[in-house]
Amino acid sequence: APAWRTIALRTPRGVVTPRRDPAGRPTVRDLTAPLGDGLAPAGRLDLASTGLIVCTNDTRLASWLTSPASDLDKEYAVTVRGRLDDVTLERLADGIEDRGEWLRPASLRLLKASSRESQVAVVLTEGKNREIRRLFAAAGHDVTRLLRVRIGGLELGSLAPGAWRDIRQEKLATYFPEYSGGRSRHPRRTDTAR
């Protein structure tokens, strides 16, 4: 069995996360194949999005990272067309219904706004399909750039597109304090009478 390995990877635009792509587009596995160790992406980004994704050969970690029950924060730097005003920001923060589904970010913070475009930091915990793009489109603003910058306590940092860095196993508790490696955080005490 290969040794435990987990990396933080910055996916470039146009790279997809499935194992194989019927359209022949490049995949995350194409980027990680030279590293060996059976690394697979834990999560997904759509074709037009870029940024941080965790790749691991630890199936328990991958399951935890992708489980909605983990309630894990994922932060995105988002650029949209046009100026976001206070009314629109409040509406977005309160949530918007789109195609019968309620879309609501965990947090939303305006970073910069001009008449041409606005930049926003958006935090999600659920990650419904194309949630950020749908949220802003429902408010009349198309997303022109979407970059995932953080998963839990793990930050993208200065990784260039296509670049990666190893995550040491002992650092998992720093990045993901709620993760227990598949074991209970509070093992039951078993006192045995002698």
Side-chain angles (χ1 to χ4, degrees):
W4 184 93
R5 188 158 194 196
T6 299
I7 65 168
L9 171 72
R10 179 171 177 176
T11 59
R13 190 179 199 117
V15 172
V16 295
T17 51
R19 180 184 295 255
R20 287 185 235 341
D21 182 53
R25 295 170 295 200
T27 68
V28 167
R29 286 188 183 249
D30 293 334
L31 295 174
T32 62
L35 303 176
D37 299 325
L39 293 169
R44 65 188 191 285
L45 283 169
D46 69 37
L47 185 64
S49 300
T50 65
L52 181 62
I53 195 158
V54 174
C55 297
T56 185
N57 62 4
D58 180 336
T59 56
R60 282 187 178 154
L61 175 60
S63 293
W64 184 83
L65 287 168
T66 57
S67 171
S70 298
D71 203 33
L72 192 60
D73 282 356
K74 294 180 179 94
E75 184 174 349
Y76 301 82
V78 182
T79 303
V80 300
R81 290 190 206 288
R83 180 183 298 275
L84 290 174
D85 58 26
D86 291 342
V87 173
T88 304
L89 286 168
E90 193 172 310
R91 183 173 165 230
L92 290 165
D94 289 344
I96 291 177
E97 187 176 338
D98 179 61
R99 296 182 288 222
E101 194 171 26
W102 192 251
L103 308 175
R104 183 171 183 231
S107 73
L108 186 73
R109 185 172 33 97
L110 182 66
L111 302 173
K112 190 169 119 182
S114 70
S115 58
R116 194 173 62 89
E117 66 181 21
S118 299
Q119 295 175 354
V120 190
V122 179
V123 176
L124 300 179
T125 53
E126 283 187 62
K128 297 172 183 160
N129 187 33
R130 298 179 59 82
E131 183 171 3
I132 291 174
R133 293 180 190 285
R134 291 169 53 205
L135 180 72
F136 283 98
H141 295 271
D142 291 330
V143 172
T144 58
R145 183 173 178 261
L146 197 153
L147 173 70
R148 185 187 292 153
V149 295
R150 183 176 59 81
I151 301 171
L154 179 64
E155 295 188 0
L156 178 63
S158 60
L159 278 178
W164 58 271
R165 69 176 178 270
D166 275 305
I167 298 172
R168 294 193 331 261
Q169 198 165 11
E170 58 272 13
K171 294 291 280 179
L172 285 180
T174 303
Y175 298 135
F176 312 115
E178 298 82 14
Y179 178 66
S180 62
R183 296 173 299 281
S184 170
R185 274 294 221 195
H186 307 287
R188 281 200 323 249
R189 188 173 162 186
T190 54
D191 289 335
T192 54
R194 293 187 184 225

